[in-house]
Amino acid sequence: MSAALLAMAGVSAVTAPPAKAADPAGVIVVSPDEQNWVFRDGDGREVTLRGFNVSGSTKLYENDLLPFRSAADAAESAQAMRDLTGANAIRFLISWEGVQPAPDRIDHAYLDRAIAQIRAFTDRGFRVLLDYHQDLYSSHLFNEGSWYTGDGAPEWVIEAGDYPKESCGICLLWGQNMQTNAAVREAAYDFWRNRVLTTSAGPIGVQDAFITQAKATMSYLEQRLPRQAFDSIVGFDPFNEPFDGGLDGGSGLDWEKAYLMPFYQRFRTAMDESGWAAKPAFVEPLVFWNTGFFEQGGMSSIGRLGTRMVFNSHYYDGARMTLDPSPASDGTYAAPMNEIRRRATELGTAPFISEFGNKLDDDRTPWMIRAMYQAMDHGVPGRTWWNEPADGGTVLSAIQWHWDIYHDRHHELMNGNPRKVQTDGDGWNDENHSVVAVDDEGDVTLRLDRRVLDRLYPAAVNGDTLAFAFEDLARSGYGGAGQQQAWLTVPSSLPAVADLVGGRQFGVLAWKGSATEAPTDLHLPGSFAPAGTTVVSDLGALSGLPASGPIKATREPGSSSAHRLQLTPAGDSAAAVHFALVVNTTTGSPVTPAQLAAARAELSSWATSHFPAG
């Protein structure tokens, strides 16, 4: 661990050797598929991005409005994330206040620190989505005795706005401030309408100021990041969780069309003028869309987005976060995840989920997160997946909220109040979402069952994904406690497959081939040791993965311990249909050649019936 983290844990610092730099992740683009829109890399492979937000610490002044207190902490965190979860992407938060502390100044030192932290991830093979983060518009709207706080806009913007005294009234959730807090609402209203503020640098439109500093930020990053690191930046999220501040009698769809999309178009132009023309903007709809409450918005009134913008949604279960006491189970989140898939298809672009999760002091959370991942893998329940695998839809790229190595070790003065020092959880608004913490030995440890977070997923498919599903067998409690229950049920029509996977973790990928020779890559969870992993595929069937050949295990780029499965059909074509069953057979009876042959015959027939070639 870094000296800073070790010191926090009360452990003497030990200098760790630098991690070996990974091969660059490379540029990805938005590409139309036969039925869906997807991300593709330089080899034309269909890419799935999975990882975590880094982090809510950007909201904290103790962190100087950055995810990490040092580049060393970022490097240690990146290495742990790669090794423990196999993540290949992060959403990296930055702050408008950090970039532009005064109306006539860009803080290049702040950007230099951000660059060093970004490189800690790109050097280890991560792709990075940059995010201008805000919550309730600005911390400077809140008084030091408030129940809540915000982040985003600089103090000079709020001072020039001369907003009323903030008060949420009787608010049980921070999000209610968007509906009832006059200061928060008026400030947001002014931003979308580009109110001209009188500042020390003269009159400035507030949205103009934001676009100007964003352009300066992007130009600086393009100039200062090494080319391979810049290529690993997938794009920019212009504005986290946009909220209207006042609809003036219209609907959320009206507001998105009249105010949100013109802002996104301005940001898109700024990207083009700053050397970011080849990267998409990851644009979010009105904040409460698809949460179970306040279902305004969804961008259905704005026309098609195309390849230069990505439909970027968040997903939180508003009902279970408030009134619904029921647990999550197989298929719970298929409908909201399918709504994200459907809306992206209507908009003519790729879907992306840049936040999802739940608080980690809820007994239901482990299986809520499990069910969210399941629905992002496939949009049908596991109990019916084998009978209708093609109905599962696109494998969704998604970034979980969040990864905070300072969890329970914060020291944040809430709204600058020395009598309200936030130390627990995320150090912000009593939130508790981080999936990691640092233990007393200074090691980054997972707070959820590793089987929830370290998942088999198709990181890069050479061709077109036809169907994917994963049975993680994650337990219902924390720390591996609680109930274990299989959700991906193999039907009686596949007895050999059912015999092979019974009581074991396994995943299934079906894909249409490609004329190129690049491999199809799946991340292997840590529980899938190469020597104990069985693969049954049209490419062959074997128990124990070699280091070479058409079916092989190799080290994940940038990782000291994680592996990936690589599948490379010989003489592939775009008409060919492939399948692979991947099973964790490190425990249980040894797999026999007869079992492999029987399972392969069943899977071949299953694939032919559901995915005819041609």
Side-chain angles (χ1 to χ4, degrees), residues 95-418:
S95 165
W96 176 14
E97 180 177 2
V99 174
Q100 192 181 23
D104 54 357
R105 184 164 73 88
I106 300 296
D107 189 342
H108 293 103
Y110 173 86
L111 292 176
D112 286 336
R113 293 193 297 275
I115 286 169
Q117 295 182 20
I118 290 168
R119 290 193 61 187
F121 286 87
T122 59
D123 286 351
R124 288 162 176 80
F126 284 88
R127 289 187 169 93
V128 176
L129 172 64
L130 270 293
D131 163 49
Y132 267 116
H133 210 78
Q134 71 79 38
D135 295 275
L136 308 182
Y137 195 69
S138 175
S139 69
H140 299 289
L141 289 167
F142 293 83
N143 63 72
E144 70 170 21
S146 177
W147 290 4
Y148 300 103
T149 190
D151 68 287
E155 186 175 14
W156 62 266
V157 169
I158 306 307
E159 288 182 346
D162 191 26
Y163 295 110
K165 181 179 180 181
E166 67 88 12
S167 173
C168 192
I170 303 175
C171 286
L172 301 179
L173 300 172
W174 72 269
Q176 291 176 261
N177 282 275
M178 301 178 211
Q179 307 296 324
T180 63
N181 192 324
V184 170
R185 288 176 62 78
E186 288 186 25
Y189 187 95
D190 287 351
F191 179 85
W192 301 117
R193 288 154 182 80
N194 196 25
R195 176 187 169 191
V196 176
L197 303 176
T198 300
T199 75
S200 59
I204 301 175
V206 62
Q207 191 179 117
D208 292 342
F210 182 88
I211 294 295
T212 297
Q213 63 82 32
K215 185 175 178 180
T217 292
M218 289 186 284
S219 295
Y220 193 76
L221 293 176
E222 192 276 335
Q223 294 164 11
R224 298 298 291 265
L225 281 167
R227 180 49 48 183
Q228 73 174 48
F230 184 69
D231 286 348
S232 298
I233 305 292
V234 299
F236 225 121
D237 184 340
F239 199 95
N240 175 70
E241 296 183 348
F243 63 102
D244 53 89
L247 295 173
D248 291 335
S251 70
L253 291 174
D254 295 333
W255 178 82
E256 286 180 334
K257 185 174 182 178
Y259 295 102
L260 186 60
M261 278 309 300
F263 166 73
Y264 285 151
Q265 288 158 354
R266 293 190 71 190
F267 197 95
R268 176 69 266 179
T269 299
M271 293 177 71
D272 295 345
E273 294 172 349
S274 306
W276 292 58
K279 302 180 186 295
F282 285 65
V283 298
E284 301 185 30
L286 191 60
V287 59
F288 290 119
W289 178 78
N290 204 31
T291 61
F293 294 101
F294 311 111
E295 299 296 312
Q296 294 256 4
M299 304 176 93
S300 61
S301 64
I302 54 121
R304 291 171 70 82
L305 293 176
T307 60
R308 287 165 52 75
M309 291 187 185
V310 168
F311 180 62
N312 174 19
S313 179
H314 291 183
Y315 183 72
Y316 293 99
D317 186 342
R320 284 182 175 81
M321 291 171 68
T322 52
L323 302 175
D324 182 356
S326 67
S329 59
D330 175 33
T332 292
Y333 295 115
M337 296 305 174
N338 284 338
E339 181 62 15
I340 293 170
R341 292 180 174 98
R342 185 183 68 81
R343 190 56 54 90
T345 298
E346 291 176 350
L347 290 167
T349 190
F352 189 82
I353 301 173
S354 60
E355 284 190 29
F356 69 97
N358 198 60
K359 58 185 179 180
L360 269 67
D361 48 14
D362 187 328
D363 291 342
R364 301 170 300 169
T365 292
W367 272 13
M368 287 175 67
I369 303 299
R370 179 192 184 191
M372 290 177 193
Y373 274 114
Q374 181 202 46
M376 292 184 292
D377 289 343
H378 52 88
V380 295
R383 60 186 176 274
T384 63
W385 181 86
W386 286 95
N387 297 322
E388 48 191 51
D391 293 344
T394 306
V395 180
L396 292 172
S397 291
I399 305 294
Q400 186 173 346
W401 185 269
H402 69 131
W403 184 282
D404 173 18
I405 58 172
Y406 310 112
H407 170 81
D408 271 350
R409 299 176 184 270
H410 290 287
H411 194 272
E412 175 75 1
L413 277 61
M414 185 174 181
N415 297 314
N417 188 343

Side-chain angles (χ1 to χ4, degrees), residues 41-45 461-463 513-520 567-574 578:
D41 65 13
D43 292 317
R45 298 184 299 175
V461 173
N462 192 18
S514 168
T516 67
E517 297 180 354
T520 287
L567 305 168
T568 311
D572 202 9
S573 74
H578 305 292

Side-chain angles (χ1 to χ4, degrees), residues 413-435:
L413 277 61
M414 185 174 181
N415 297 314
N417 188 343
R419 296 178 300 281
K420 296 185 71 174
V421 180
Q422 306 295 294
T423 59
D424 296 339
D426 301 342
W428 193 81
N429 278 343
D430 294 323
E431 290 189 355
N432 179 22
H433 282 70
S434 177
V435 301

